[in-house]
Amino acid sequence: MSANASDKEGSAVPPQAKGSWTSFLKSVTSFNGDLSTMTAPPFILSTKSLVEFSSYWAEHPSVFVAPAKEKDPEKRAMLVLKWFLSTLKQQYASRSEKLGSEKKPLNPFLGELFLGKWEDEAGSTQLVSEQVSHHPPVTAYCIWNGEAGIRLQGYNAQKASFSRTINVKQIGHALLHIDEYDEEYLITLPSLHIEGLITGSPYVELNRYSYIHSTSGYTAKIDYSGKGWLSGKKNSFTASLYPEGKEKEPIYIVDGQWTDAFTIKDGKTKAVVDTYDPKKTKTTPLTVASLEEQDEMESRRAWKKVADAITKGDMDKTAYEKSIIENRQRDMRKLEKEEDREWDRRFFTRTDKFPLLEKLAAKIGEQVNDSLTNGVWMFDQDKASQAKPPFRKEGETPVNEELRK
């Protein structure tokens, strides 16, 4: 077993690459279609696939499992909100902070897997991420901690376009389930755009708002605001948690920066109830199997030669190794079409009936948009029980029996 590989990717645009960066920006402004299909300059390419990004949901396992230990439903909903807010830096800023700028991830191939687990004081928290659709590209994931009785599952697609900057609309949702209280929390995904394009140091800024709505009757709304021309701090947000339909009667209010500290206050007294500071809350490294132990469909093994070429800055080799993977995928799709069958997903199943999702989404005016994600994707317990991921210990079930109820 090994922890995350060390990052050896470049930082922001190097001086010698300013010319090609300018050319890339010009091509972006005139490009019609989904920008994710564009070939980016070598210094902006990531060695990681988008299928790995699911792990950002749970890099603080203790914060992830905390709601399951809270008996009060209001406080439980608040802890879910706190956990969600704590994931934003990991999801949208950790790469630019670590690597010098935001990188363009590798586009996952259909069936690509990323498997791992976090081991710490919260116990064992496991991750399964799978690329369930290629056209459109959709990643599905499930993260669970059997000891705490909590599970997150979801799927998402991204649509990138250009209008003064690169804008990304996230399509999909996540569902958090807490066993002991049989609660579901529907989590919607914020839109985002890329700042720093002109300076050559791109970073993510979140747009508009997102929601968390629970079967227990509580709603959280998060409003995102970035640094304006004259005022404001980048990555700022305000949030409120309120009983369903009573947005003007918040139980808790939250404000701060999603890349920095934030404060949770009582909605009436404004007294500080809780705080969160990412500098004081260490992430737990995700453990993955060694490349030798990984399945050929697992991301890091499948993309190793491409990643090595990117790290060396060898774009000819990068293009060559990518073409091998892409051509193999085209051959597989051609054969499936000839045999009139569809690729069998390893851990997830498309479902035609999703009444709970529709009910929760309707409460906050959210569209399911299943036509834009090639369906609604759910973690399949039966498939998971038959799978033998390399990170699982002998005799260990992939999903705790409590989660099967």
Side-chain angles (χ1 to χ4, degrees), residues 153-167:
Q153 64 172 318
Y155 60 94
N156 66 279
Q158 295 185 332
K159 207 74 173 170
S161 61
F162 186 86
S163 176
R164 290 181 290 187
T165 185
I166 295 175
N167 299 287

Side-chain angles (χ1 to χ4, degrees), residues 228-270:
W229 285 103
L230 300 174
S231 63
K233 294 181 178 179
K234 74 174 188 177
N235 310 141
S236 297
F237 77 90
T238 58
S240 62
L241 175 72
Y242 51 89
E244 182 183 319
K246 297 181 178 180
E247 189 170 352
K248 294 183 179 180
E249 300 176 28
I251 305 167
Y252 296 102
I253 53 177
V254 194
D255 58 53
Q257 291 172 277
W258 52 265
T259 46
D260 204 343
F262 57 82
T263 303
I264 303 172
K265 300 174 183 176
D266 183 284
K268 292 181 179 178
T269 67
K270 304 301 185 289

Side-chain angles (χ1 to χ4, degrees), residues 19 51 105 117 126 189 191 237 311 319 335 337 339 347 349 356 359 374 376:
V51 80
K117 64 181 176 180
Q126 301 194 57
L189 308 174
S191 298
F237 77 90
T311 300
L335 180 61
K337 188 173 182 180
E339 296 179 352
F347 290 96
T349 297
L356 176 62
K359 181 180 179 181
N374 198 11
V376 169

Side-chain angles (χ1 to χ4, degrees), residues 155 173 175 350-361 368-371 375-378:
Y155 60 94
H173 67 277
L175 280 170
R350 184 192 292 109
T351 179
D352 298 323
K353 297 179 180 179
F354 34 89
L356 176 62
L357 172 58
E358 288 181 310
K359 181 180 179 181
L360 290 174
V368 175
N369 288 327
D370 51 307
S371 62
V376 169
W377 298 92
M378 302 297 289

